[in-house]
């Protein structure tokens, strides 16, 4: 059975004090919901965020990225085992900002996915087309190859630890959201792509999130689509009230 998930990607926002303040505000808002709730603070605040959410248990703290190597001379990087050692269970991989500004490729992402799964980390794997791809009508071929190149070397059983996040690049941080129909069409295509390779069990069980300018005002309509199982939220995850308005859209 697939799950509903709402994950807040804080990106490079919030210092230690701001992280602690936002978490206490989130805890005030939080109550039993129909979705799993996650937040992804910066690396430097992961441990304090993890500690701050330990009580109450509803908010899972997750990482925004990791390196594929186990350890070694990779200045500035963090490994899967380091994340595991502080209690992190889930990592976002392949965000379009990582692809665009830090040269992450399908090939390097395949290695990161393998490393994360070897360490029993759940992966939220992000992908999505650019505006030019959509204008040219190539969005399905772009998304299809991003998924195939980074994930289709895996066994079917690996997919129980994977969540997919469709994030059209043209909708991230722009205020322009994919319409609920555009999101549904793409999510259906993604599920069909999984079905063609791995069969209906993997496809039906896959949680597929939408990301890109999700706000309290549009969350309900987007999450109402049958193949949309939740959201990866950037800007609106930085305000407790807005984030929980989105969570409560379920
Ligand atoms: P946004 O970001 O909600 O600010 O558009 C989404 C994301 O990058 O995950």
């Amino acid at each position: 059975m697939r799950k509903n998930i709402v994950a807040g990607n804080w990106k490079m926002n919030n210092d230690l004090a701001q992280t602690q303040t936002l978490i206490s505000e989130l805890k005030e808002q939080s109550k039993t919901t129909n979705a799993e709730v996650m937040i992804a603070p910066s690396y430097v605040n992961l441990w304090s965020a993890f500690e701050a959410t330990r009580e109450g248990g509803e908010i899972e703290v997750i990482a925004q990225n990791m390196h594929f190597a186990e350890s070694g001379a990779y200045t500035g990087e963090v490994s899967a085992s380091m994340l595991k050692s502080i209690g992190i269970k889930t990592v976002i991989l392949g965000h379009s900002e990582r692809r665009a500004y830090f040269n992450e490729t399908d090939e390097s992402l395949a290695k990161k996915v393998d490393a994360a799964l070897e360490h029993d980390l759940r992966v939220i794997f992000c992908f999505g087309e650019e505006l030019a791809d959509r204008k040219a009508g190539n969005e399905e071929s772009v998304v299809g190859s991003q998924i195939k190149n980074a994930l289709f070397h895996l066994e079917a059983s690996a997919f129980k630890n994977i969540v997919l996040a469709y994030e059209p690049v043209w909708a991230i941080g722009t205020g322009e959201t994919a319409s609920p129909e555009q999101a549904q069409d793409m999510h259906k295509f993604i599920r069909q792509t999984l079905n063609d390779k791995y069969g209906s069990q993997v496809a039906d069980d896959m949680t597929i999130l939408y990301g890109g300018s999700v706000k309290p005002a549009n969350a309900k309509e987007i999450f109402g689509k049958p193949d949309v199982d939740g959201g990866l939220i950037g800007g609106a995850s930085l305000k407790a009230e807005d984030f929980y308005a989105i969570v409560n859209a379920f």
Side-chain angles (χ1 to χ4, degrees):
M1 258 276 286
R2 57 194 199 237
K3 295 169 178 155
N4 296 326
I5 295 176
V6 179
N9 175 12
W10 290 8
K11 310 190 180 185
M12 198 173 74
N13 292 296
N14 293 330
D15 64 17
L16 176 59
Q18 290 164 330
T19 296
Q20 289 172 337
T21 304
L22 182 50
I23 288 176
S24 35
E25 290 167 358
L26 288 170
K27 285 169 90 173
E28 276 166 32
Q29 299 274 336
S30 84
K31 52 182 186 295
T32 308
T33 66
N34 295 323
E36 281 186 38
V37 180
M38 304 177 183
I39 55 169
S42 70
Y43 279 146
V44 75
N45 294 315
L46 275 181
W47 170 246
S48 80
F50 185 80
E51 285 285 291
T53 52
R54 211 192 272 273
E55 297 291 298
E58 188 199 298
I59 301 171
E60 181 185 346
V61 173
I62 70 174
Q64 297 178 17
N65 177 39
M66 53 163 252
H67 197 272
F68 52 75
E70 183 57 35
S71 63
Y74 298 100
T75 301
E77 292 291 332
V78 166
S79 70
S81 49
M82 289 172 184
L83 295 177
K84 285 285 285 192
S85 73
I86 62 161
I88 299 297
K89 297 195 182 80
T90 304
V91 61
I92 298 171
L93 294 177
H95 191 280
S96 66
E97 287 147 19
R98 300 289 319 167
R99 294 176 191 257
Y101 308 139
F102 303 97
N103 303 320
E104 296 204 356
T105 61
D106 292 347
E107 202 185 19
S108 63
L109 288 168
K111 290 197 213 168
K112 289 188 176 202
V113 168
D114 289 346
L117 295 177
E118 271 165 33
H119 286 86
D120 258 335
L121 284 167
R122 173 161 63 167
V123 173
I124 299 181
F125 184 74
C126 307
F127 51 84
E129 82 283 0
E130 309 218 6
L131 186 56
D133 302 319
R134 184 161 278 269
K135 283 195 167 150
N138 292 334
E139 64 272 17
E140 289 190 352
S141 67
V142 169
V143 162
S145 47
Q146 286 172 324
I147 294 173
K148 286 173 194 162
N149 294 343
L151 301 178
F152 274 17
H153 62 287
L154 298 170
E155 304 277 333
S157 60
F159 282 82
K160 64 180 187 314
N161 281 326
I162 292 182
V163 169
L164 298 179
Y166 168 57
E167 299 204 296
V169 177
W170 48 271
I172 295 179
T174 58
E176 189 172 343
T177 324
S179 68
E181 292 70 30
Q182 284 173 320
Q184 167 58 23
D185 287 350
M186 184 59 87
H187 283 222
K188 193 170 168 205
F189 165 77
I190 294 162
R191 217 178 285 289
Q192 186 60 46
T193 304
L194 288 173
N195 185 73
D196 293 346
K197 167 85 174 167
Y198 291 104
S200 60
Q201 187 77 45
V202 169
D204 292 346
D205 286 351
M206 178 56 61
T207 297
I208 309 177
L209 311 180
Y210 168 79
S213 299
V214 178
K215 304 271 181 284
N218 59 24
K220 203 166 188 151
E221 220 190 328
I222 296 172
F223 295 168
K225 293 292 175 190
D227 286 297
V228 179
D229 308 310
L232 186 54
I233 320 300
S237 72
L238 298 172
K239 275 201 190 137
E241 214 177 300
D242 287 355
F243 186 57
Y244 265 92
I246 294 170
V247 170
N248 290 328
F250 274 110

